[in-house]
Amino acid sequence: MNERILIIEDDPSISKLLQRGLAYEGYNVECAPDGKTGLVKARDNAPDLVVLDWMLPGLDGLEVCHRLRMGGSIPVLMLTAKDTVEDRIQGLDAGADDYMVKPFNLDELLARIRALLRRTQTDRVQGLKFADLSLDVGTHEVYRGDKLIALTAKEFELVELFLRHPRQVMTREVLFDRVWGYDFGGESNVLEVYIRYLRQKLEESGQPRLIHTVRGVGYVLKETP
């Protein structure tokens, strides 16, 4: 088990309890004491799941959840002392996948995390999504919004690889190895040609760029600033 879990919680005692309990279960755990730090951590290295406190300094949990949703489909379990039905509805409407009220039982929280991760992994087998770009592994279809994009086999493999590693810089070497199975060598421009074709197809209707060049390194799938 190597799933990464990001805890965004300003109470050090709760954060420490969660970190210890999750690490004991085999998860890789990272913590953030406020919403802004949590969003930066999620952007720089997308976790498999976020445990999110509602009452945070600066950006509250609802705003953090909303921004996480805008950037992708990371499952979010919201933790809060707010326990009315209206609070739960507000949290779920903000994009939370599950909602637990403090004080909570750690075993129940772990069970809910396992359930969310199982559901997400099942979804990922068939569908991958980032911003308005989506891919169906079963049908080999790629959409930008509602528009079906016709791709070659290699273009599809590149898009799938980017979608499985959003916001992570993919080096030329990794892209060659994963898609072509070997290194074409530093002089080959086949990757640049394929990226150019992909951009033309994905941006045909004037949509913002999603595949960005990291000069001297490779490429990254991320939102246009």
Side-chain angles (χ1 to χ4, degrees), residues 156-187:
F156 181 89
E157 288 181 49
L158 275 170
V159 171
E160 182 178 357
L161 187 57
F162 280 121
L163 282 169
R164 290 190 184 278
H165 302 275
R167 302 192 189 90
Q168 296 181 31
V169 176
M170 308 296 288
T171 66
R172 289 170 50 87
E173 292 74 21
V174 166
L175 291 167
F176 278 134
D177 181 63
R178 300 281 184 89
V179 176
W180 282 272
Y182 59 93
D183 191 340
F184 273 80
E187 299 305 313

Side-chain angles (χ1 to χ4, degrees), residues 8 34-40 42-43 50 52 58-74 76 78 91 93-96 130-131 167 223:
I8 307 177
D34 56 72
K36 187 175 180 181
T37 305
L39 285 172
V40 170
R43 181 195 65 205
V50 173
L52 175 64
L59 293 176
D60 69 13
L62 291 182
E63 179 61 24
V64 173
C65 190
H66 178 66
R67 295 193 188 187
L68 286 170
R69 276 288 162 266
M70 290 174 65
S73 55
I74 301 169
V76 176
M78 187 168 280
D93 281 347
F130 181 84
R167 302 192 189 90
E223 304 91 337

